[in-house]
Amino acid sequence: MRQASVAEAAPVDPALLARLRAVVGEAGWVDQPDAIAPYVLDQRRLWLGRTPVVLRPASTAEVAAIVRHCAAASVAIVPQGGNTGLLGGSVPDQSGREIVVNLGRMNRIREIDPLNYAMTVEAGCILAELQAAAESADRLFPLSLGAEGSCQIGGNLSTNAGGVNVLRYGNARELALGLEVVLPDGSIWDGLRALRKDNTGYDLKHLFLGAEGTLGIITAAVVKMFPRPRDVQTALIAVRDAGAACELLADLRVASGESVTGFEYMPRICFDIVFRHLKGLRDPMARAYDHYVLAELSAGRATGALREALEVVLAEALEKGQVIDAVIAESTAQAKAMWAIRHGIPEANRHEGAVIRHDVAVPVSRIAEFIATASTAVRDRYPAMRILAFGHLGDGNVHFNINQPEGGDPAAHLAEWEAVHRIVHDIVVGMRGSFSAEHGIGRFKRAELERYKSPVELALMRRIKGLLDPGGIMNPGKVV
Amino acid sequence: MRQASVAEAAPVDPALLARLRAVVGEAGWVDQPDAIAPYVLDQRRLWLGRTPVVLRPASTAEVAAIVRHCAAASVAIVPQGGNTGLLGGSVPDQSGREIVVNLGRMNRIREIDPLNYAMTVEAGCILAELQAAAESADRLFPLSLGAEGSCQIGGNLSTNAGGVNVLRYGNARELALGLEVVLPDGSIWDGLRALRKDNTGYDLKHLFLGAEGTLGIITAAVVKMFPRPRDVQTALIAVRDAGAACELLADLRVASGESVTGFEYMPRICFDIVFRHLKGLRDPMARAYDHYVLAELSAGRATGALREALEVVLAEALEKGQVIDAVIAESTAQAKAMWAIRHGIPEANRHEGAVIRHDVAVPVSRIAEFIATASTAVRDRYPAMRILAFGHLGDGNVHFNINQPEGGDPAAHLAEWEAVHRIVHDIVVGMRGSFSAEHGIGRFKRAELERYKSPVELALMRRIKGLLDPGGIMNPGKVV
């Protein structure tokens, strides 16, 4: 693929472009092909769009002015944060008529209020910087995910990002107390409230959270903070199977006083692949097991109570046969080494060839059933494919990834993408599960949305889109 | 006021009534004035509406059929749960043309799934019965509020009820994983998903949560459960002032590992009134103080760690002068006696004459400032009025109640309702607070909504109402 030049992408009215340039100034104007390139290529390098210009506004007023001008000219806008989404939701189409509005320059933390456990932040703040800002106020901002070094909070909120701490702290949606949004007509909705209770009419922020920029542009937010854990216990646990992992989780939640902050399931194949490709990692256990859980418990004060609860539950689970072996980290370094295995899976797996990915969720109680049923169904039809079902068991969220057969042809594997998706998604939806647990819809899962949502639900979504964005200028071709 | 007879309220077409009677049958048909009376009088006995009939459907299909018939005839519906709301949102107007649809017969628990920490319940389930059902599955359903013996979960969700556990577990909105809703055209949206992560398009449930039945009728829900606490520590704490209470809360949250499940602030006047009017209650402390906090901490396992954390923080706070005195309950009976003081305030205060009530919220960090500023402003104008500012400090939610002067005239006091509201609500909104933290809008706070919401926000709310309920048949005259 080749990036189109500005000249080729000329259909946007030059007079509009001049107005937009006046709004953002030189610092917010990106129109050279080389400079544009990273803004129009999606994270997984599956989609290269075109745009005449990337606008980088510095304030909410600038965003509003951009939207007003574009609305008047019926020119579409693609709101963009860190451009780390996995489903093509943050890149323009190939018409050259969509203008990218990147929020990266709006990166001020407007206020930190430790006593209210909240901070007011602009959309372009990098997630890792918010984590650090909270920590420097002796607080925790719990949202944590692979892209945290480059993703932006506006994008996290617009996509309702998940990650590894959802079990205890909720998705991005649950972390938002208030929003500031530029609506598709260019007006500004100031919903920057920092309240724990507010029942004054419809709770409008939920329209924009998770809407992937199709209903407006989130420009700022009030997000929750939490006490910073002083005591973190991490354990790698070999379990009998995924069902035993699920029971262990339920017991740990009770015994630890709801202190389980991470609970990741990994079958052995994940370990094999990680140790095969990533240097410096080693198996903390003396022998290999079929199923593992990486559990993390966190508490505010280091009293030994958390470690004790963990040991008691593990001892009981060993006796019941749910757990076969376990290693509790004795240091932060050991805990990090355990997490490195989990976090290393996606990178290591890139060396294994082509992967058909699913990001699904079912009720936590049905995870084992789902993995068994879907694995059998895939293997029945494709005996040589290798299944990596791992992930956030504590949220019922499995990354059900299917590797190409060893030594097979990547293209031949990817040619089965649709057929494999159908097998897996039919099963997950049949279990009242989600065919996109944390990655959203974006551009790539629209057909799945169309296929699996009820006519009532689809119609409601489309009517809401039509109501808020009657001109269809907000991130067209995404979600609905 | 006088209840209208069916004959007087005749304007509803008898043919429609016959169709509705065929839908619900005799068991769901209430048309005798005596039987109707409790359904048309609001909880605070401020509003007596009229209705030709109260329908009590037994299934979602019956609700849908009712709505279809009423939509076709352009006849308005007032959805109703336990009719315990404080702002007149669940009673009909006085035209006799609005039909009450009470969900009380839809009271089945459809499923309890302890491993997924969730249950699927019908709208008419009584809150206290859901708490008991969760407990019998060794789980906690944390929603808890004064009316829990008669309010229904459908109403709790429709009003986004708050209560005493919001600090730790969230409002009713946060407890809902999925909903089933009959839309204003009579179609059924089945959103009964029991998932912790699901990013498949717009999250429609948030439209109906807190909408007070103006956008549809919630007929069932999947709600979250939590581990049942094994260790509960309760303390009555005399604090220097409300500001010290706020700092104490922040420290307790950290030290206890986010185990603070209740944190209620009470000034001395509340104690005086409770001991004056309620028998069997006594002050757990030897002498009187100006400001109190009732704190509750909960943990999954009784290890002594919670008590220890509480004692350490209290000792530190004593040293810092934040805390002046404290009593930790040594038994469940002692804890109950402490809570009885807090829960006794509304009942005791009924003996004190007329009360002008405010249910407001500000950021937790600004509670002390709000109480001081609003108290001064009210006293400046009305020196003899007595202020009871108490409540859920942990959520920033104060019940800022103003008692009539001692020995004064109740009617004269209530005549100042609007003027006092203006003083208090102007201050709270000026602090970016909420003029209705947990009680909603209903019928009685619509003028406040109109006054304090921005034109952008009001317009958005009205457009959503117009989109979902173009005929305006769902609980008209409420919220927007």
Side-chain angles (χ1 to χ4, degrees), chain A residues 137-158:
Chain A
D138 197 24
R139 294 292 181 263
L140 172 74
F141 183 57
L143 190 65
S144 175
L145 44 95
E148 62 196 25
S150 55
C151 64
Q152 297 170 11
I153 189 67
N156 298 146
L157 294 166
S158 290

Side-chain angles (χ1 to χ4, degrees), chain A residues 204-392:
Chain A
L204 300 176
K205 66 175 178 287
H206 289 289
L207 285 171
F208 307 102
L209 294 162
E212 305 188 31
T214 61
L215 301 178
I217 304 179
I218 295 174
T219 49
V222 183
V223 293
K224 291 182 195 171
M225 299 190 294
F226 292 84
R228 200 160 65 81
R230 258 64 174 180
D231 184 10
V232 178
Q233 297 290 332
T234 310
L236 184 69
I237 306 162
V239 290
R240 191 185 58 222
D241 50 31
C246 176
E247 289 160 19
L248 177 66
L249 170 64
D251 292 342
L252 263 182
R253 285 185 69 177
V254 169
S256 70
E258 198 67 338
S259 296
V260 182
T261 46
F263 201 85
E264 300 285 318
Y265 167 76
M266 294 169 281
R268 179 70 209 179
I269 185 173
C270 293
F271 275 50
D272 291 338
I273 287 172
V274 164
F275 299 133
R276 188 179 304 154
H277 300 291
L278 301 188
K279 291 197 176 128
L281 296 184
R282 56 170 211 85
D283 192 335
M285 293 188 178
R287 48 153 294 202
Y289 298 98
D290 290 337
H291 306 274
Y292 299 88
V293 158
L294 178 57
E296 185 189 85
L297 286 73
S298 308
R301 192 172 273 246
T303 61
L306 206 58
R307 173 76 178 233
E308 192 194 318
L310 178 58
E311 286 174 354
V312 168
V313 172
L314 286 177
E316 288 168 2
L318 269 163
E319 210 154 293
K320 285 189 271 187
Q322 289 168 346
V323 164
I324 303 166
D325 198 356
V327 183
I328 301 179
E330 296 293 343
S331 67
T332 309
Q334 282 183 15
K336 273 192 178 163
M338 291 176 181
W339 274 106
I341 299 171
R342 166 63 185 87
H343 288 315
I345 298 172
E347 187 194 333
N349 204 34
R350 273 183 216 122
H351 299 277
E352 293 283 313
V355 183
I356 299 172
R357 291 184 172 80
H358 307 82
D359 167 39
V360 300
V362 293
V364 177
S365 50
R366 300 189 73 181
I367 278 237
E369 178 193 350
F370 164 73
I371 294 176
T373 309
S375 298
T376 302
V378 171
R379 287 206 184 97
D380 278 354
R381 175 139 168 216
Y382 303 103
M385 288 186 183
R386 295 168 300 153
I387 296 169
L388 276 78
F390 67 98
H392 320 302

Side-chain angles (χ1 to χ4, degrees), chain B residues 283-305:
Chain B
D283 192 337
M285 294 188 177
R287 49 154 293 203
Y289 298 98
D290 290 337
H291 307 273
Y292 299 89
V293 158
L294 179 57
E296 185 189 86
L297 286 74
S298 308
R301 193 173 273 246
T303 60

Side-chain angles (χ1 to χ4, degrees), chain A residues 113-117 138-139 159-164 166 168 171 173-174 183 185 187-204 206-208 210-212 214-215 224-228 230 246-247 249-251 253-259 299-301 303 305 308-309 312-313 316 361-365 392 394-397 432-441 449 453-454 456-457 460-465 467-470 479-480, chain B residues 113-117 138-139 159-164 166 168 171 173-174 183 185 187-204 206-208 210-212 214-215 224-228 230 246-247 249-251 253-259 299-301 303 305 308-309 312-313 316 361-366 392 394-397 432-441 449 453-454 456-457 460-465 467-468 470 479-480:
Chain A
D113 185 349
L115 279 183
N116 194 37
Y117 283 84
D138 197 24
R139 294 292 181 263
T159 57
N160 186 27
V164 293
V166 171
R168 173 63 185 80
N171 297 283
R173 176 185 299 277
E174 280 88 40
L183 301 177
D185 64 359
S187 60
I188 299 168
W189 173 55
D190 177 357
L192 284 178
R193 294 184 275 264
L195 306 174
R196 308 287 164 161
K197 282 183 176 172
D198 180 28
N199 274 322
T200 51
Y202 306 149
D203 194 345
L204 300 176
H206 289 289
L207 285 171
F208 307 102
E212 305 188 31
T214 61
L215 301 178
K224 291 182 195 171
M225 299 190 294
F226 292 84
R228 200 160 65 81
R230 258 64 174 180
C246 176
E247 289 160 19
L249 170 64
D251 292 342
R253 285 185 69 177
V254 169
S256 70
E258 198 67 338
S259 296
R301 192 172 273 246
T303 61
E308 192 194 318
V312 168
V313 172
E316 288 168 2
V362 293
V364 177
S365 50
H392 320 302
D395 315 313
N397 176 201
R432 289 193 161 256
S434 171
F435 59 86
S436 196
E438 56 178 14
H439 297 165
I441 300 298
L449 187 83
K453 288 289 179 184
S454 70
V456 169
E457 187 157 346
L460 253 182
M461 288 187 193
R462 286 177 182 146
R463 287 165 64 200
I464 289 166
K465 169 72 175 174
L467 178 80
L468 271 93
D469 182 22
V479 188
V480 288
Chain B
D113 184 350
L115 279 183
N116 194 38
Y117 282 83
D138 197 25
R139 294 291 181 265
T159 57
N160 187 26
V164 293
V166 171
R168 173 63 184 80
N171 296 284
R173 177 186 299 279
E174 280 88 40
L183 302 176
D185 65 359
S187 60
I188 298 167
W189 172 53
D190 177 357
L192 284 178
R193 293 184 276 263
L195 306 173
R196 307 288 164 161
K197 283 183 175 172
D198 180 28
N199 273 323
T200 50
Y202 306 149
D203 194 344
L204 300 176
H206 289 289
L207 284 171
F208 307 102
E212 304 188 32
T214 61
L215 301 178
K224 292 182 195 171
M225 299 190 293
F226 292 83
R228 200 160 64 81
R230 257 65 172 179
C246 176
E247 289 159 19
L249 170 63
D251 292 343
R253 284 185 71 178
V254 170
S256 70
E258 198 65 338
S259 296
R301 193 173 273 246
T303 60
E308 194 193 317
V312 168
V313 171
E316 288 168 1
V362 292
V364 177
S365 50
R366 301 189 73 181
H392 319 301
D395 315 313
N397 176 200
R432 289 191 161 260
S434 171
F435 60 85
S436 196
E438 55 178 14
H439 296 165
I441 300 299
L449 188 84
K453 289 290 178 183
S454 69
V456 169
E457 188 158 345
L460 253 181
M461 287 186 193
R462 286 178 182 146
R463 287 165 64 200
I464 288 166
K465 170 71 176 175
L467 178 80
L468 270 92
V479 188
V480 289

Side-chain angles (χ1 to χ4, degrees), chain B residues 205-357:
Chain B
K205 67 175 177 286
H206 289 289
L207 284 171
F208 307 102
L209 294 162
E212 304 188 32
T214 61
L215 301 178
I217 304 179
I218 295 175
T219 48
V222 183
V223 293
K224 292 182 195 171
M225 299 190 293
F226 292 83
R228 200 160 64 81
R230 257 65 172 179
D231 185 9
V232 177
Q233 297 290 332
T234 309
L236 184 68
I237 306 162
V239 290
R240 191 184 59 223
D241 50 30
C246 176
E247 289 159 19
L248 177 66
L249 170 63
D251 292 343
L252 263 182
R253 284 185 71 178
V254 170
S256 70
E258 198 65 338
S259 296
V260 183
T261 46
F263 201 84
E264 300 286 316
Y265 167 75
M266 293 169 281
R268 179 69 208 179
I269 185 174
C270 293
F271 275 49
D272 291 338
I273 287 172
V274 163
F275 300 132
R276 187 179 305 152
H277 300 291
L278 301 188
K279 294 202 172 120
L281 296 184
R282 57 170 210 87
D283 192 337
M285 294 188 177
R287 49 154 293 203
Y289 298 98
D290 290 337
H291 307 273
Y292 299 89
V293 158
L294 179 57
E296 185 189 86
L297 286 74
S298 308
R301 193 173 273 246
T303 60
L306 205 59
R307 173 76 178 234
E308 194 193 317
L310 178 59
E311 287 175 353
V312 168
V313 171
L314 286 177
E316 288 168 1
L318 269 163
E319 210 154 293
K320 284 189 272 186
Q322 290 168 347
V323 165
I324 304 166
D325 197 356
V327 183
I328 302 180
E330 297 293 345
S331 66
T332 310
Q334 282 183 15
K336 272 192 179 164
M338 291 176 180
W339 274 105
I341 299 170
R342 166 63 185 88
H343 288 314
I345 298 171
E347 188 194 333
N349 204 34
R350 271 181 220 123
H351 300 276
E352 292 283 313
V355 183
I356 300 173
R357 291 184 172 80

